[in-house]
Amino acid sequence: MNPVLDALHFRHACKRFDPQRRIPDDQLREILECARLSPSSFGMEPWRFLVLRDAALRERLRPACWNQAQITDSSDVIAILTRSESLVADGDYAHASYARRGLPSDKMRASLERYGNYLDSEVRPLMSLYAWASKQCYIALANIMTAAAAVGIDSCPIEGFEKSAVERVLGLPDGDFQVAVLVALGYRAGGQTPRFRHAFDEVVAFR
Ligand SMILES: Cc1cc2nc3c(=O)[nH]c(=O)nc-3n(C[C@H](O)[C@H](O)[C@H](O)COP(=O)(O)O)c2cc1C
């Protein structure tokens, strides 16, 4: 059997964490390494992973997150931050992202132009750069949860928050980095909640 299936059967959105148990540092770092290795559109890696460990900070964060207990009772909360307007094709960040590939200048220009055209024709008409970059961040989110589950660590993805209040608590007012999503990590206290999924044939089609 595909070993990832085991992890995905173990994973659930953990509502009750054991507040006494901490994730060993080396395991947390490996989970973050799985996040760092995530793919992203055009290789832009639009993320930052802010690990929230400080108890007082998390107490202040909790009311901004619908007062969810996972914020204070988990071992660690990772705030996945996303770039937004700094992703523009004529900006320093996009330039540096391509420059590290060591492309000759004509190829570099062509790549940036293709990237800019994509943003203009496919992204901007549909969504903000924040929304586009957040989609990449959710790939990292999935990798974090699966990597955690593979070593018996529970998680809860958290989108139930008031974005501007979270950013105020984290000290990110009006900056380019904005919060995309949070994920709490730790160890379950009690059993797993029931899982509801549509049947395979309802959601999978072959053509
Ligand atoms: C992006 C995202 C945001 C979520 N936000 C929350 C949240 O704020 N609080 C919560 O308890 N669960 C949250 N969930 C968990 C979902 O409710 C849960 O994944 C879904 O009901 C399926 O259950 P399972 O993950 O246990 O299989 C979120 C899930 C995702 C993917």
Side-chain angles (χ1 to χ4, degrees):
M1 191 170 87
N2 186 322
V4 175
L5 264 180
D6 272 343
L8 295 180
H9 279 297
F10 172 85
R11 190 213 62 77
H12 71 300
C14 185
K15 310 289 181 187
R16 282 184 51 231
F17 284 96
D18 179 345
Q20 308 303 328
R21 290 187 69 190
R22 321 286 339 149
I23 299 173
D25 226 52
D26 54 337
Q27 286 195 327
L28 182 64
R29 294 186 85 89
E30 277 183 0
I31 290 168
L32 289 159
E33 180 65 355
C34 293
R36 187 182 74 89
L37 292 173
S38 300
S40 55
S41 188
F42 289 88
M44 279 295 147
E45 302 173 74
W47 43 61
R48 285 274 164 84
F49 305 100
L50 188 58
V51 184
L52 310 177
R53 308 190 112 169
D54 183 70
L57 175 66
R58 293 211 265 154
E59 283 293 344
R60 280 189 282 123
L61 189 62
R62 183 168 161 169
C65 301
W66 301 357
N67 200 31
Q68 297 189 68
Q70 299 96 312
I71 297 292
T72 47
D73 293 352
S74 58
S75 169
D76 298 272
V77 173
I78 303 173
I80 306 183
L81 308 180
T82 179
R83 288 180 178 274
S84 48
E85 288 304 316
S86 68
L87 292 167
V88 290
D90 56 358
D92 292 344
Y93 183 74
H95 189 275
S97 282
Y98 279 105
R100 66 188 173 168
R101 298 174 197 191
L103 299 174
S105 60
D106 57 329
K107 285 227 165 63
M108 170 100 180
R109 244 192 329 274
S111 298
L112 280 166
E113 197 180 315
R114 196 168 51 243
Y115 171 60
N117 288 342
Y118 180 80
L119 294 184
D120 288 344
S121 64
E122 304 301 326
V123 176
R124 296 262 197 209
L126 290 175
M127 69 194 98
S128 63
L129 287 183
Y130 165 77
W132 180 66
S134 291
K135 293 203 290 177
Q136 330 298 319
C137 289
Y138 279 61
I139 299 172
L141 167 69
N143 284 341
I144 287 172
M145 294 190 293
T146 306
V151 291
I153 293 172
D154 287 297
S155 62
C156 187
I158 295 181
E159 213 175 40
F161 55 75
E162 195 192 322
K163 180 172 175 288
S164 55
V166 167
E167 289 171 349
R168 249 193 326 276
V169 174
L170 298 182
L172 308 169
D174 305 325
D176 187 54
F177 278 101
Q178 300 178 35
V179 65
V181 65
L182 308 176
V183 55
L185 297 171
Y187 299 92
R188 66 188 70 177
Q192 186 167 333
T193 44
R195 166 168 285 160
F196 303 97
R197 288 293 188 272
H198 295 294
F200 188 92
D201 290 335
E202 282 180 68
V203 296
V204 180
F206 299 90
R207 287 207 173 135

